[in-house]
Amino acid sequence: GGAWAGPLLLTPRMALVAGPEVLGFQVPTESGKALLVWGLEEGPEHSLFSAFSEFGLLYSVRVHRNAAVAGPGYYALVKFYSARDASRAQRACNRQRLFQKSPLKVCICTRQKTFKQQVLALRSYKCKELANYYLGFNGWSNRIITLQNISGFDVENEELGRLPERQCLKYLCVVEVTLPHHGICTRGLGVAEAYVENGRDSLEFVMKTGNVQKLAVEKALSGAFQKILLIVLENGKVAVEYNFAQEEPIDTLTDEELRGLIQVNDLSLEQVNLEDEEFLSDFSFDEEHLLEGRQSN
């Protein structure tokens, strides 16, 4: 889904986001955080990213070719983390040429009421981008508390020749994220697994082990960030709060207690849902103010 059949001209909502804005380390799905940009002569994703990132941190820029009935050209979905940033970008860029000869049309997207909103955690590299943007590179740190093999066999002590032909590799990781300027410390748990098709192939075994360990660390880091809420004030200053709704037993244990629980497999291994793609059909576009779009093109 998601082919934009336009071109409809939509009068944008001009309302500003007032008061503090709460941002979690999740995929931005709330209304008002995505912009529909159409009237693109080409599909210059880098130009769009450069133009709109001046107004705030972008989650994504997706460029698509117009549907056949709409004629030649492209449209784009530009998604911000902050609705305030999206609103400023829309007001500044609508009906402006920016990087092409003809003006662009920019409209704020609103989430369809019938769409069941699922909270999806940002992947670890996106969490780092968000933290660096609002907290600064020195505003946070992370460390691995433990990274353990829970495959049911000891990778280091087991001879490769004795492993079964097809073996499941499984690793568990706990990562701690610290925000020293805000006095906040959170932990996340990540579990990753993969199958080694040929347990006697040492190269495949080593590569799969490294990949599984890396994925477990990334999931744990994302999980730790889920417990952090950024409070962005109108003047641009940022406060931070701990999200108690996401609290887990691992947050109150010492490192030694945590490692002990993992060894006896006495931890809940519930995982957060990681981010996925969204489609244009998930949004609507300010139905209150439709104009004669086709006649103006």
Side-chain angles (χ1 to χ4, degrees):
W4 173 244
L8 289 174
L9 286 182
L10 307 171
T11 301
R13 253 189 205 101
M14 305 299 281
L16 290 170
V17 178
E21 190 172 6
V22 180
L23 306 181
F25 286 80
Q26 289 136 9
V27 175
T29 57
E30 302 91 336
S31 288
K33 293 190 175 184
L35 301 179
L36 177 67
V37 182
W38 74 105
L40 287 165
E41 296 164 358
E42 296 180 357
E45 199 163 298
H46 64 281
S47 298
L48 280 166
F49 190 93
S50 177
F52 284 96
S53 61
E54 290 187 18
F55 300 93
L57 185 64
L58 300 180
Y59 167 72
S60 64
V61 175
R62 303 273 188 265
V63 178
H64 306 275
R65 189 182 296 275
N66 285 347
V69 294
Y74 298 81
Y75 70 91
L77 197 62
V78 179
K79 191 177 292 187
F80 288 82
Y81 287 98
S82 160
R84 185 181 291 119
D85 292 345
S87 178
R88 288 193 305 115
Q90 185 279 321
R91 290 181 295 117
C93 297
N94 186 40
R95 302 186 183 279
Q96 300 300 313
R97 289 182 175 83
L98 297 183
F99 46 80
Q100 63 178 36
K101 294 179 181 178
S102 60
L104 293 169
K105 306 169 189 82
V106 183
C107 175
I108 294 177
C109 306
T110 55
R111 172 69 61 181
Q112 287 186 356
K113 297 179 179 65
T114 56
F115 183 79
K116 186 177 180 182
Q117 190 170 307
Q118 183 184 15
V119 176
L120 297 171
L122 289 174
R123 297 191 184 277
S124 60
Y125 77 96
K126 290 279 193 185
C127 290
K128 292 176 184 178
E129 283 182 3
L130 193 60
N132 288 338
Y133 186 83
Y134 283 104
L135 302 174
F137 290 96
N138 297 320
W140 66 279
S141 64
N142 67 284
R143 69 181 180 101
I144 296 173
I145 294 176
T146 186
L147 177 62
Q148 293 191 19
N149 167 33
I150 55 172
S151 309
F153 63 92
D154 191 331
V155 174
E156 278 130 19
N157 297 329
E158 199 80 52
E159 289 182 25
L160 285 175
R162 294 182 184 177
L163 291 175
E165 284 289 336
R166 191 171 190 267
Q167 179 64 52
C168 178
L169 280 174
K170 195 170 186 179
Y171 272 82
L172 180 148
C173 180
V174 177
V175 166
E176 183 176 83
V177 170
T178 304
L179 278 57
H181 306 311
H182 300 275
I184 287 178
C185 180
T186 70
R187 288 172 175 175
L189 182 148
V191 177
E193 63 181 16
Y195 280 93
V196 178
E197 297 301 329
N198 183 1
R200 294 179 177 84
D201 184 337
S202 58
L203 180 59
E204 182 192 5
F205 191 86
V206 169
M207 289 183 66
K208 284 281 178 71
T209 299
N211 289 340
V212 170
Q213 290 176 339
K214 181 181 177 184
L215 184 56
V217 172
E218 290 174 352
K219 285 185 173 182
L221 181 59
S222 176
F225 273 114
Q226 299 313 300
K227 299 166 186 176
I228 297 170
L229 294 174
L230 303 172
I231 317 298
V232 185
L233 307 179
E234 288 186 83
N235 62 7
K237 291 185 177 180
V238 179
V240 179
E241 287 188 8
Y242 181 84
N243 186 0
F244 286 96
Q246 298 281 348
E247 193 169 28
E248 298 175 292
I250 62 171
D251 293 310
T252 56
L253 300 172
T254 65
D255 292 2
E256 292 71 26
E257 289 172 334
L258 193 54
R259 294 188 187 102
L261 279 178
I262 292 171
Q263 286 171 355
V264 298
N265 204 20
D266 193 23
L267 272 180
S268 169
L269 304 184
E270 185 177 341
Q271 295 287 282
V272 296
N273 295 314
L274 285 175
E275 63 181 288
D276 201 358
E277 292 294 332
E278 285 188 293
F279 298 101
L280 193 62
S281 55
D282 296 339
F283 296 95
S284 56
F285 309 101
D286 208 352
E287 306 90 337
E288 300 171 11
H289 304 287
L290 295 179
L291 292 177
E292 64 290 348
R294 292 184 189 278
Q295 295 159 359
S296 66
N297 285 292

